[in-house]
Amino acid sequence: TRSLTLLTLGWLALGSGTGRAQNQANVPNATVKADTLAVYSGMRSSSSVLKSLNKGDQVILDFEIKSSTERWCGVRLLGQARMLGYVQCQGLERVEQPVVEQPPDAGFSRTRGPSKRSAADLALAPPSAHSASGYDEVASLVVREGSIDVVKLAELEAAARSGSAAGMTRAAFAHLAAGSFELSGGNTDQAIEHFRAALTFAGKQPNLLLVSLLDLAYVHLRRSEYSIALEYLGRARRVAPKSVAVAQLGGWAYYGLNRVDQAIEEWKGAQRIQPNPGVALALQKAERDKEAERDFREEENSHFILHYHGGATPQLASEILHTLEAHFRSIQAELHFTPAEPIGVILYTQEAFADITRAPSWARGMNDGRIRVPVQGLASVSAPLSRMLKHELTHSFIQQRTLGRCPQWVNEGLAQWIEGRRAGNDARSLIAVYERERSMPWTLLEGSWAGLSDQAVHFAYAWSLASVESIIADSGMPGIERLLDSLGTESSIEAALRAALHTNYADLEQETAKYLRRTYLQ
């Protein structure tokens, strides 16, 4: 049989905002250029046709996988978390999204900055085994009509117990296909179970071992579980010391752990073997960070890695670290959750903050996986700085709790609520907008707010806070916790609302208006 071929891992669409672990912006980035374009259930023309798209239809392209003869693209429709299916990439035309400067803040959030860019925010194409001889046949038996055939999966496992190489390979293929299917729907827990099973059946076959280990590393990377990802990547490197995929993923794992030097080393090694434009962008950003932080001092504890220079004195740095620790314990108690990885915090001068983050002049802080704060001129932690640190730290908790799949309105609404803001000052104007039926569509509140007008951005922050406040008033923090957990597992945001709170967008909008009236207008 042909040896297993690892397909190119591509960074294709940089996500923005805080949302799902695919194209985070939830903005169409491709249009259909063919008259009709079939959407298949799998990456093969013999798969079931799920839907036909027409010329001019817009889609969200999450990833592209190339083989020696074909290119398959995973696509979604606007407002959907679950992948629609696979299409032949030549039937699509890419749409470049312009970079839009965000308008000045008028008080609803003082921490808006450029879109986040972390491992979970990038459309990383997962490893694939579908070019291996026999994989397509097994995959078509196990994944059929939009679900996993558990009976066939059990049959293949039973056949593998004989110990034959062919039986073991087919069982490994079956679990790789099942894991890929679960991953396409955002079900990372189930995907991990299948990829672990595939690893068991891979035996001593190097190519199957490599694919299984890369799949496991990839899923944990998407979940911001960087240390676990590195463990699998270390095993994968022992199997294939010169693997480009190991180096590419390793770069993101190290970057997520704030080990910038090692991330740069990994990415440079990958680029020497197989240049990739997405990796080039990540490498460029990491090198900017390294240059800016060359003379930085460092403090570290169990939860934070703090780098500082310029406008920050050692006393201020220590006070910020102490403040962050207090906020960490507070948010931990509030959400009953502890982030798995230490959180990077960078303290800049105002000039360095602007140069490195490329943030507009009004931005007072940002969180792109690392909390970045300008502190020039400060001798101690002021009340506004403390609130901003708590706001940004909340984003780090939410990112890890929801596996990067939190809509913007929940993310910003909860961060504002936890930092201490309440909706009272804006209640009257929000009710007026609601009564005139001029509320912003929820689909716009889910993704990036970068392209919104000043007025729309102000409404987005205020309404998001009011909605989260309404949920807490009705269901308490346990309701918020259920929602965050559901966002990490359900196929869409409305599905998460139904599962966690037994509501939908229409009812939530009505309940938010009722809450504002009875709480602030009586």
Side-chain angles (χ1 to χ4, degrees):
T1 61
R2 288 188 293 132
S3 63
L4 203 65
T5 303
L6 281 177
L7 305 182
T8 302
L9 283 161
W11 279 257
L12 297 170
L14 289 178
S16 63
T18 304
R20 300 162 192 79
Q22 296 172 318
N23 176 356
Q24 297 286 318
N26 201 30
V27 174
N29 57 1
T31 58
V32 177
K33 65 180 182 180
D35 290 337
T36 60
L37 184 63
V39 181
Y40 295 95
S41 60
M43 289 181 286
R44 49 194 177 276
S45 300
S46 59
S47 302
S48 302
V49 176
L50 303 175
K51 183 181 178 66
S52 289
L53 300 173
N54 299 317
K55 188 173 184 177
D57 286 349
Q58 294 184 318
V59 297
I60 298 169
L61 193 160
D62 278 329
F63 61 82
E64 175 181 339
I65 294 181
K66 302 176 183 179
S67 69
S68 57
T69 58
E70 292 182 309
R71 289 190 304 131
W72 288 93
C73 287
V75 296
R76 286 185 288 130
L77 296 179
L78 180 63
Q80 292 187 352
R82 183 179 290 275
M83 191 174 70
L84 180 64
Y86 303 93
V87 302
Q88 294 277 7
C89 295
Q90 59 265 32
L92 296 176
E93 183 175 6
R94 297 290 180 85
V95 176
E96 295 297 328
Q97 296 299 323
V99 177
V100 183
E101 283 195 1
Q102 298 184 20
D105 186 13
F108 294 119
S109 171
R110 296 177 179 169
T111 55
R112 279 186 292 128
S115 301
K116 295 181 182 179
R117 185 174 296 175
S118 65
D121 293 334
L122 293 170
L124 293 161
S128 173
H130 89 257
S131 62
S133 178
Y135 176 83
D136 282 350
E137 176 194 352
V138 173
S140 64
L141 293 174
V142 173
V143 180
R144 298 187 301 170
E145 299 177 354
S147 64
I148 296 173
D149 188 332
V150 293
V151 174
K152 178 56 68 175
L153 189 63
E155 289 177 0
L156 291 167
E157 285 184 336
R161 294 194 184 102
S162 66
S164 71
M168 296 282 282
T169 297
R170 285 170 64 82
F173 281 166
H175 280 288
L176 287 172
S180 297
F181 173 79
E182 294 288 9
L183 184 59
S184 71
N187 303 316
T188 56
D189 286 342
Q190 294 89 335
I192 287 171
E193 289 182 12
H194 285 296
F195 291 145
R196 283 176 177 165
L199 186 61
T200 301
F201 287 109
K204 297 182 179 180
Q205 300 182 66
N207 294 309
L208 274 176
L209 279 172
L210 182 59
V211 171
S212 303
L213 289 166
L214 285 173
D215 272 324
L216 283 163
Y218 171 82
V219 180
H220 285 292
L221 187 59
R222 298 301 295 245
R223 289 161 60 110
S224 299
E225 296 168 346
Y226 304 114
S227 298
I228 299 175
L230 277 178
E231 292 177 12
Y232 286 115
L233 289 171
R235 293 172 62 183
R237 180 158 278 145
R238 291 193 290 273
V239 175
K242 296 182 179 180
S243 168
V244 174
V246 171
Q248 289 176 334
L249 293 177
W252 277 111
Y254 283 123
Y255 192 76
L257 289 170
N258 301 291
R259 293 157 68 176
V260 177
D261 285 347
Q262 289 162 288
I264 289 172
E265 182 181 348
E266 291 282 4
W267 283 331
K268 281 185 173 179
Q271 290 296 84
R272 283 193 294 269
I273 301 170
Q274 185 176 306
N276 178 287
V279 175
L281 287 174
L283 178 58
Q284 184 182 53
K285 183 176 186 293
E287 288 179 326
R288 284 203 311 270
D289 281 345
K290 180 180 178 180
E291 179 62 28
E293 298 168 28
R294 185 179 302 278
D295 299 322
F296 276 35
R297 300 175 184 178
E298 180 177 309
E299 289 193 31
E300 182 176 349
N301 60 23
S302 57
H303 299 135
F304 298 98
I305 300 172
L306 178 71
H307 289 187
Y308 65 97
H309 182 54
T313 64
Q315 292 79 11
L316 176 60
S318 294
E319 188 177 343
I320 285 175
L321 200 58
H322 178 77
T323 301
L324 283 166
E325 274 295 332
H327 289 330
F328 189 98
R329 292 191 295 272
S330 173
I331 300 170
Q332 183 184 43
E334 198 84 71
L335 298 181
H336 295 96
F337 175 78
T338 303
E341 304 291 358
I343 298 164
V345 183
I346 319 296
L347 308 182
Y348 297 103
T349 64
Q350 192 67 49
E351 182 180 3
F353 175 78
D355 289 344
I356 300 305
T357 65
R358 309 290 172 88
S361 60
W362 49 261
R364 302 191 184 184
M366 66 176 291
N367 184 333
D368 62 352
R370 306 168 92 191
I371 297 173
R372 300 173 187 264
V373 186
V375 295
Q376 191 169 0
L378 294 177
S380 62
V381 176
S382 62
L385 176 57
S386 178
R387 288 195 300 270
M388 185 269 285
L389 290 170
K390 193 170 189 179
H391 181 111
E392 295 299 340
L393 182 55
T394 302
H395 287 316
S396 296
F397 272 75
I398 293 171
Q399 165 72 17
Q400 294 196 36
R401 177 87 180 240
T402 64
L403 311 178
R405 301 180 69 195
C406 187
Q408 189 84 334
W409 69 266
V410 175
N411 207 335
E412 290 296 349
L414 185 56
Q416 289 177 87
W417 192 89
I418 284 181
E419 74 164 283
R421 293 181 183 270
R422 297 296 180 264
N425 290 339
D426 304 295
R428 193 170 300 279
S429 60
L430 291 175
I431 288 296
V433 171
Y434 171 77
E435 289 177 343
R436 292 198 302 269
E437 298 183 353
R438 299 285 299 278
S439 298
M440 189 180 299
W442 288 98
T443 51
L444 288 182
L445 291 171
E446 289 176 1
S448 172
W449 299 347
L452 300 180
S453 67
D454 288 17
Q455 185 178 9
V457 167
H458 301 160
F459 174 86
Y461 275 98
W463 186 259
S464 297
L465 173 58
S467 298
V468 167
E469 198 173 320
S470 171
I471 291 171
I472 293 172
D474 183 62
S475 303
M477 287 306 291
I480 289 292
E481 291 180 57
R482 292 196 303 271
L483 178 59
L484 294 178
D485 290 337
S486 295
L487 287 167
T489 59
E490 294 293 334
S491 60
S492 70
I493 295 168
E494 285 220 65
L497 285 169
R498 287 193 297 271
L501 304 170
H502 308 293
T503 191
N504 55 35
Y505 271 148
D507 289 343
L508 177 59
E509 186 171 33
Q510 188 178 59
E511 289 304 313
T512 299
K514 289 180 180 178
Y515 166 79
L516 290 173
R517 286 194 189 98
R518 72 172 181 266
T519 306
Y520 297 112
L521 301 186
Q522 291 183 355

